[in-house]
Amino acid sequence: MSRQLIVAGNWKMNTTIKEGEKLAKSIVKKAKANDPLVIMAAPFTHLQSIGGIVKGEKGIEVAAQNCSNELKGAYTGEISVGMLKSVGVKYVIIGHSERRQYFKEGNALLAKKTNTVLGSGMLPIFCCGEPLSVRKAGNHARHVSKQLREGLFHLTKKEFSKVVIAYEPIWAIGTGVTASPEQAQEMHDKIRKMIARKYGDKIASTTTILYGGSVKPANAKEIFSQPDVDGGLVGGASLSATDFSKIIKAR
Ligand code: PGA
């Protein structure tokens, strides 16, 4: 079985509902049957409406950017997997570096969130990646290995086979600095080997590993053509239908 190619757009806290609907419609319009799977991670308030826009479109899915690890109850301001599922969400981003950094989400909580997402029947896009200081010290592989061990490697083989991984070096997110294709390939290869050691070669070879961090139309082709890079998680450039569509078609 070959790996699923994915280009996911992470809109973060951007767009009003009208702007989001317009963006989603133009992305859908430009989509072609042989494109990789396209995922739009829109703000919570947009998910139902954008779910309606992509409904029936093959190869386009909607994602949430976060969820609670709790199923329901007195957790003011949180959103549950049941709520997300009820509006047609298929994927949930877990452990984006902005969640880790600004909202202090640690590996133990992210392991719980992953369980909750899988338990609901949705699929996690689990983010990992190192800050600049860790990269400079040459400890990036160790850092990511810890994130995977503590956040994901408690899963059974069957559960793990549903997970999409996004490697996003923090120093490349929103900075305009992209990891070089060689740096991306090096880490993706290491991540695949970590998975192989834990779950075996078969699962490792079919796990989708996305690269994220300043992916743009100008650099997407070079990054996506690396053997262990299976697409991208795109922030800034996913807010332009033109740029995002170019990235989708980059491979
Ligand atoms: P960026 O964000 O493409 O704007 O660097 C990527 C991400 O945060 O997923």
Side-chain angles (χ1 to χ4, degrees):
M1 205 176 92
S2 61
R3 297 197 283 270
Q4 174 149 54
L5 302 179
I6 298 177
V7 176
N10 175 10
W11 297 4
K12 308 192 180 182
M13 198 172 73
N14 292 298
T15 72
T16 61
I17 183 82
K18 284 272 165 293
E19 291 163 348
E21 285 170 348
K22 190 167 165 234
L23 178 57
K25 281 180 191 158
S26 349
I27 290 166
V28 168
K29 221 162 139 191
K30 292 177 199 286
K32 293 272 166 355
N34 58 351
D35 284 346
L37 177 67
V38 173
I39 300 177
M40 292 185 251
F44 294 139
T45 45
H46 303 20
L47 291 173
Q48 181 164 20
S49 154
I50 290 171
I53 292 169
V54 309
K55 201 170 173 173
E57 299 287 343
K58 259 198 138 106
I60 308 183
E61 299 288 351
V62 173
Q65 300 170 15
N66 181 31
C67 69
S68 172
N69 59 301
E70 300 291 346
L71 291 177
K72 64 192 265 190
Y75 301 100
T76 302
E78 289 291 276
I79 192 147
S80 75
V81 287
M83 295 167 188
L84 296 173
K85 208 172 170 201
S86 73
V87 294
V89 169
K90 174 121 183 242
Y91 290 84
V92 184
I93 298 177
I94 298 290
H96 189 279
S97 63
E98 286 147 19
R99 300 294 318 170
R100 292 177 185 264
Q101 196 179 344
Y102 305 138
F103 303 97
K104 306 288 173 256
E105 296 191 0
N107 294 335
L109 174 69
L110 299 175
K112 283 189 198 159
K113 289 194 179 196
T114 304
N115 294 343
T116 311
V117 170
L118 286 168
S120 74
M122 294 187 292
L123 307 170
I125 301 175
F126 186 91
C127 299
C128 57
E130 78 288 353
L132 187 58
S133 56
V134 171
R135 159 77 51 173
K136 280 189 169 156
N139 292 331
H140 40 292
R142 203 173 312 152
H143 183 90
V144 168
S145 161
K146 187 170 156 65
Q147 289 177 324
L148 298 183
R149 271 185 283 118
E150 295 181 1
L152 283 183
F153 284 1
H154 62 285
L155 298 174
T156 63
K157 262 190 183 183
K158 194 168 169 218
E159 289 165 339
F160 185 84
S161 63
K162 300 188 171 124
V163 174
V164 173
I165 291 181
Y167 169 63
E168 301 203 300
I170 297 172
W171 46 272
I173 296 177
T175 56
V177 180
T178 323
S180 67
E182 295 73 27
Q183 284 173 319
Q185 170 56 25
E186 187 211 7
M187 272 309 294
H188 281 232
D189 172 60
K190 284 193 158 82
I191 291 170
R192 207 175 294 289
K193 287 185 176 136
M194 292 169 202
I195 299 167
R197 280 195 292 276
K198 174 72 187 171
Y199 293 106
D201 288 341
K202 196 164 157 235
I203 293 213
S205 68
T206 53
T207 302
T208 295
I209 309 177
L210 308 178
Y211 168 80
S214 297
V215 176
K216 302 274 180 290
N219 59 26
K221 196 179 170 73
E222 226 189 339
I223 297 174
F224 293 176
S225 60
Q226 297 301 310
D228 286 292
V229 177
D230 308 312
L233 179 55
V234 185
S238 72
L239 296 171
S240 150
T242 309
D243 284 357
F244 190 58
S245 299
K246 283 188 187 150
I247 294 170
I248 291 168
K249 291 170 200 324
R251 184 142 177 157

